[in-house]
Amino acid sequence: QQVQVPVISIGHAMGSYYYAGVDNTTPIKEMMEHLHKEHGCMRFLYAGGPKGHYENYSRMTAFKRYILEHGLIEQDTWFGDYEYATGVKYMDRLVKEAIPFPDAIVCANDNIAAGICARAEELGFNVPEDFLVTGFDNMEKAAYFYPQISTITNDRGKIAASVVDILHKLWAGGQVESFTFVPTECSFGESCG
């Protein structure tokens, strides 16, 4: 900013910098709507990533807002990292602390969702029969995992292309919105039935 060159922050809103990434709130609302309306889910747990991470915070906030707006039950909100092992730890915690299973566990990403599903199976539980699980990012892991993870697209290639477009517009003297959102899409798989 001091040398007056354009700065674009990818996936993290920072001050007056331009933002390129996904709208983390709308697709979470769509996923929650699917879980609630299509599957009758009433009790939810948010299996989050790092507490201070922008994308995780945005997804968690959308999750909590949907719960409040629809009078649903939020069992808990957990924070960890974005790794598979975090999902394993979350599943172990559910069992160790004898926490009643929620109807659905909404995960901050596909790695966490895969860890929960795999550990649930190791412990003798079954997704989606015992509870539903969703992820975010639509990684190959989600598509080829068993059960196939219901997820939300986060196309990093399209985000990178949008960054180049923003720079071209700015260099040509054009105007650019502060936030550039790449489209997302819910992809419903076996983990939500």
Side-chain angles (χ1 to χ4, degrees):
Q1 281 181 320
Q2 290 175 343
V3 294
Q4 297 181 346
V5 296
V7 176
I8 303 167
S9 179
I10 300 172
H12 186 92
M14 296 176 58
S16 61
Y17 296 159
Y18 294 99
Y19 172 91
V22 296
D23 167 9
N24 290 285
T25 58
T26 302
I28 288 290
K29 178 183 174 185
E30 291 170 1
M31 187 63 79
M32 293 290 290
E33 187 85 1
H34 175 79
L35 293 169
H36 177 55
K37 298 285 168 83
E38 296 295 320
H39 298 288
C41 296
M42 298 295 291
R43 294 180 307 130
F44 294 85
L45 185 144
Y46 182 77
K51 192 170 191 172
H53 189 271
Y54 176 79
E55 289 182 317
N56 181 64
Y57 181 79
S58 299
R59 295 168 191 176
M60 180 212 51
T61 301
F63 167 85
K64 287 179 171 286
R65 186 177 304 126
Y66 189 89
I67 296 268
L68 285 172
E69 289 173 356
H70 293 85
L72 304 176
I73 300 164
E74 177 188 348
Q75 278 191 227
D76 214 340
T77 300
W78 293 345
F79 300 102
D81 58 32
Y82 284 130
E83 300 304 318
Y84 177 93
T86 296
V88 172
K89 289 176 193 172
Y90 288 163
M91 189 62 212
D92 284 341
R93 181 176 172 186
L94 272 171
V95 173
K96 182 180 178 185
E97 296 179 16
I99 298 168
F101 286 161
D103 297 325
I105 301 175
V106 177
C107 301
N109 75 353
D110 295 337
N111 283 332
I112 296 170
I116 288 172
C117 291
R119 186 65 177 143
E121 185 175 343
E122 290 172 0
L123 294 171
F125 301 104
N126 189 285
V127 175
E129 283 80 8
D130 293 312
F131 54 91
L132 308 183
V133 176
T134 67
F136 201 114
D137 291 335
N138 200 13
M139 299 167 56
E140 284 189 7
K141 179 180 285 183
Y144 299 111
F145 196 79
Y146 180 78
Q148 184 185 46
I149 306 291
S150 294
T151 188
I152 297 165
T153 304
N154 186 2
D155 192 326
R156 288 171 173 81
K158 287 183 181 176
I159 293 170
S162 74
V163 169
V164 173
D165 289 343
I166 291 168
L167 288 172
H168 281 162
K169 287 177 186 172
L170 292 171
W171 290 333
Q175 295 294 315
V176 174
E177 295 289 327
S178 296
F179 284 80
T180 299
F181 293 120
V182 171
T184 58
E185 181 180 2
C186 290
S187 177
F188 303 112
E190 297 162 338
S191 71
C192 74

